[in-house]
Amino acid sequence: MNNLKTNFGKRKIKASQKTSLVQSVFTNVSKKYDLMNDIMSLGSHRIWKKTLIEIMNIKVNEKIIDVGSGTGDLINLILAQNKKNEIHCVDLNKKMLEECKKKIRITNFNKIKFTNANAEKLPYANNLFDKYIISFCLRNVTHIDKTLDEAYRILKPGGCFYCLEFSKPKTSLINLLYNKYKNKIIPLIGEKLANNKDAYKYLEESISLFPNQENLLNIINSAGFKNSSYINIFDGIVCIHIGYKV
């Protein structure tokens, strides 16, 4: 088992090393994470996240888990709709979780829970949540299958899985331009603004190696989800995958 290999960007490493390497990346960029997201996406990440929350059609008193919460953008969007949902913010990176706590615009935290945990092994009982969200995080886990198995386990029957993640543009010209932007511009922005070219080189590589829309759909189905589908945004630069626990 110790000889299992995986990718950290385009580098082949031992699977046991990936989690610590990824967490080091996010610890180093946590303070400038929001700024870099705005600059690199030209603010588009806000539209993508808002679209996800609109598609989710969240109802009052639903129990929601956001895995890989980052700095809490999705939590604030949910709270803007209503403040009667129990929301669990989960992140393996303690620095990111600290930034999330600072950013959540609510004075009563009774229904907002912050948990430092790994997406591949969540400290929750079976059949607990109505909705599971993972946004721009799935490509950073070591084992996608384990993460999806955990998502399926903790969702209630009838619960819904949502994944917002970078994917592959459908139009050849946009794909060409997007690849050039990822390869050349993103690492340069990381070097100039965050003083961390390597972190943003990893970002580009992790996007490039992540399964495309159809392949990820098949992986989600293999975890047991039914009636699965996906919605392309911005020609498929990002994609929302949806699956149901029946």
Side-chain angles (χ1 to χ4, degrees):
M1 293 294 288
N2 291 334
N3 293 324
L4 289 177
K5 297 287 186 179
T6 190
N7 286 92
F8 176 71
K10 293 181 179 176
R11 285 169 50 197
K12 281 290 183 185
I13 60 169
K14 290 181 179 179
S16 59
Q17 296 176 306
K18 181 168 181 175
T19 297
S20 61
L21 288 171
V22 170
Q23 293 313 304
S24 177
V25 166
F26 284 98
T27 295
N28 290 334
V29 303
S30 60
K31 294 292 184 184
K32 293 188 177 180
Y33 185 76
D34 288 334
L35 172 65
M36 292 300 292
N37 280 347
D38 279 330
I39 292 171
M40 289 188 303
S41 73
L42 303 177
S44 296
H45 75 101
R46 299 180 183 274
I47 298 172
W48 304 335
K49 292 167 183 173
K50 186 177 180 182
T51 300
L52 170 63
I53 299 303
E54 289 172 351
I55 287 170
M56 287 175 63
N57 189 27
I58 296 167
K59 298 177 176 61
V60 175
N61 294 324
E62 285 189 318
K63 189 175 288 189
I64 301 165
I65 183 167
D66 179 24
V67 176
S69 287
T71 57
D73 282 346
L74 292 179
I75 308 305
N76 278 326
L77 288 171
I78 294 169
L79 292 172
Q81 288 189 354
N82 68 74
K83 295 179 172 63
K84 294 184 178 180
N85 298 100
E86 181 179 321
I87 307 170
H88 290 251
C89 309
V90 178
D91 207 294
L92 183 56
N93 190 282
K94 291 182 180 179
K95 290 291 186 183
M96 295 296 283
L97 210 56
E98 288 172 10
E99 295 300 315
C100 182
K101 289 178 183 179
K102 293 176 189 175
K103 191 173 173 181
I104 300 301
R105 294 189 294 269
I106 188 171
T107 56
N108 183 358
F109 285 95
N110 288 342
K111 288 203 167 188
I112 309 296
K113 316 293 183 183
F114 298 93
T115 304
N116 178 224
N118 192 321
E120 297 175 17
K121 191 174 181 180
L122 296 170
Y124 298 105
N126 297 347
N127 307 317
L128 190 61
F129 293 96
D130 297 288
K131 288 182 167 67
Y132 174 111
I133 315 167
I134 186 164
S135 173
F136 301 117
C137 173
L138 192 59
R139 73 179 188 282
N140 294 314
V141 304
T142 303
H143 303 286
I144 292 177
D145 56 343
K146 289 183 180 180
T147 300
L148 294 176
D149 286 345
E150 279 291 87
Y152 189 88
R153 180 183 68 79
I154 66 173
L155 276 169
K156 297 176 182 177
C160 194
F161 166 88
Y162 298 89
C163 174
L164 174 64
E165 189 53 89
F166 290 108
S167 200
K168 183 176 180 180
K170 307 309 291 180
T171 305
S172 298
L173 178 58
I174 292 177
N175 191 40
L176 177 65
L177 295 173
Y178 179 54
N179 282 333
K180 287 181 182 270
Y181 179 74
K182 282 189 303 174
N183 296 340
K184 305 295 183 182
I185 305 301
I186 286 180
L188 183 62
I189 292 173
E191 181 178 28
K192 299 298 183 184
L193 297 182
N195 195 30
N196 197 329
K197 183 177 181 179
D198 288 343
Y200 288 92
K201 184 172 184 291
Y202 162 74
L203 170 66
E204 176 272 314
E205 292 176 349
S206 69
I207 294 170
S208 298
L209 292 172
F210 192 69
N212 65 23
Q213 290 91 327
E214 288 295 334
N215 287 341
L216 182 56
L217 188 68
N218 290 334
I219 296 170
I220 290 169
N221 289 336
S222 295
F225 289 100
K226 305 296 182 185
N227 303 318
S228 304
S229 61
Y230 62 83
I231 301 167
N232 284 324
I233 307 175
F234 281 29
D235 196 56
I237 288 176
V238 294
C239 187
I240 298 171
H241 279 76
I242 304 168
Y244 296 88
K245 179 175 178 178
V246 177

